[in-house]
């Protein structure tokens, strides 16, 4: 195939060995780097992997990098994938082998990005699983037993990525401003309801809380006022209510002081 390297000498050797053995059945006699190339071919198709190799096209249009990233695999992960692939050659006797684990995880990422974008048939997923060092894979059990200390680690990762690929998540940051929890409880909310609210729902609940306690939301001390109002409400309910929880507290204090002073004056007169 020529002496010119493609990506690295490790990738070049792996692809050349793949081309020489691609008609063979999958077995532990195949080296792990060759199995990786087989997996890439399973995900992207042989032309997408071999044509860039033949044309020595790594990062150009329709090159290896473009083809690997076309379903959303990031440039940063791709570069790390290449480094891990090269590093495996020099640590192939190391056990457990972190590079094998990372390579397998990246391959799983690539596959489920494709599944999420295109949707795949069950037989495509079954063929892909036969190329992974999963604990239940009879074809690659030798690799699994030799290289993985935790034989279920890739099973867990596979299941997690599979779940993510089948569900839609809003990963945008959600800024939640949670008030004094007792304030919500007094308005009839439950802790579970509050915990499940999104930002918009929580903001609406906050408006209702401040309105209930007649607190100006523009007041810079509104949270402190709310705590005082809630504590007062829990102790005295609606009695002596002026419409503002904090004012109610001051009103109560003034009433108590008035009563004490009155009793003090009466006591002086009697004496």
């Amino acid at each position: 195939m020529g002496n010119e390297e493609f990506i690295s000498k490790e990738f070049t050797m792996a692809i050349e060995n793949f081309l020489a053995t691609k008609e063979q059945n999958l077995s532990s006699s195949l080296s792990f780097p060759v199995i990786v190339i087989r997996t890439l071919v399973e995900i992207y198709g042989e032309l997408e992997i071999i044509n860039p190799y033949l044309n020595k096209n790594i990062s150009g249009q329709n090159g290896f990098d473009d083809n690997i990233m076309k379903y959303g695999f990031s440039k940063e992960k791709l570069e790390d994938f290449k480094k891990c692939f090269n590093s495996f050659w020099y640590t192939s006797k190391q056990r457990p082998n972190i590079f094998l684990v990372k390579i397998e995880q990246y391959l799983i990422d690539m596959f489920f990005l494709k599944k999420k974008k295109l949707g795949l048939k069950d037989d495509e997923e079954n063929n892909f699983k036969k190329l992974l060092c999963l604990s239940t894979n009879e074809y690659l059990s030798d690799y699994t037993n030799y290289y993985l200390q935790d034989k279920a680690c890739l099973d867990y990762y596979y299941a997690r990525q599979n779940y993510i690929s089948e569900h839609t998540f809003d990963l945008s940051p959600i800024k939640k401003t949670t008030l004094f929890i007792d304030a919500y409880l007094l308005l009839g909310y439950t802790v579970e309801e509050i915990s499940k609210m999104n930002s918009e729902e929580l903001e609406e609940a906050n408006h209702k809380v401040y309105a209930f306690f007649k607190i100006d939301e523009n007041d810079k001390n509104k949270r402190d006022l709310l705590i005082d109002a809630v504590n007062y409400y829990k102790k005295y309910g609606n009695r002596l209510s002026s419409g503002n929880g904090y004012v109610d507290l001051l009103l109560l204090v003034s009433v108590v002081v008035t009563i004490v002073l009155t009793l003090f004056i009466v006591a002086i007169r009697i004496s």
Side-chain angles (χ1 to χ4, degrees), residues 189-204:
Y189 295 105
T190 66
V191 174
E192 184 179 8
E193 287 173 335
I194 295 299
S195 67
K196 292 181 178 179
M197 287 183 179
N198 58 33
S199 295
E200 291 75 17
E201 291 170 335
L202 190 59
E203 185 178 0
E204 179 62 27

Side-chain angles (χ1 to χ4, degrees), residues 1-6 8-9 12-13 16 53 56:
M1 293 296 175
N3 297 321
E4 187 179 349
E5 290 183 2
F6 175 69
S8 65
K9 65 179 181 180
T12 300
M13 291 172 59
E16 288 179 350
Y53 161 75
K56 300 297 182 286

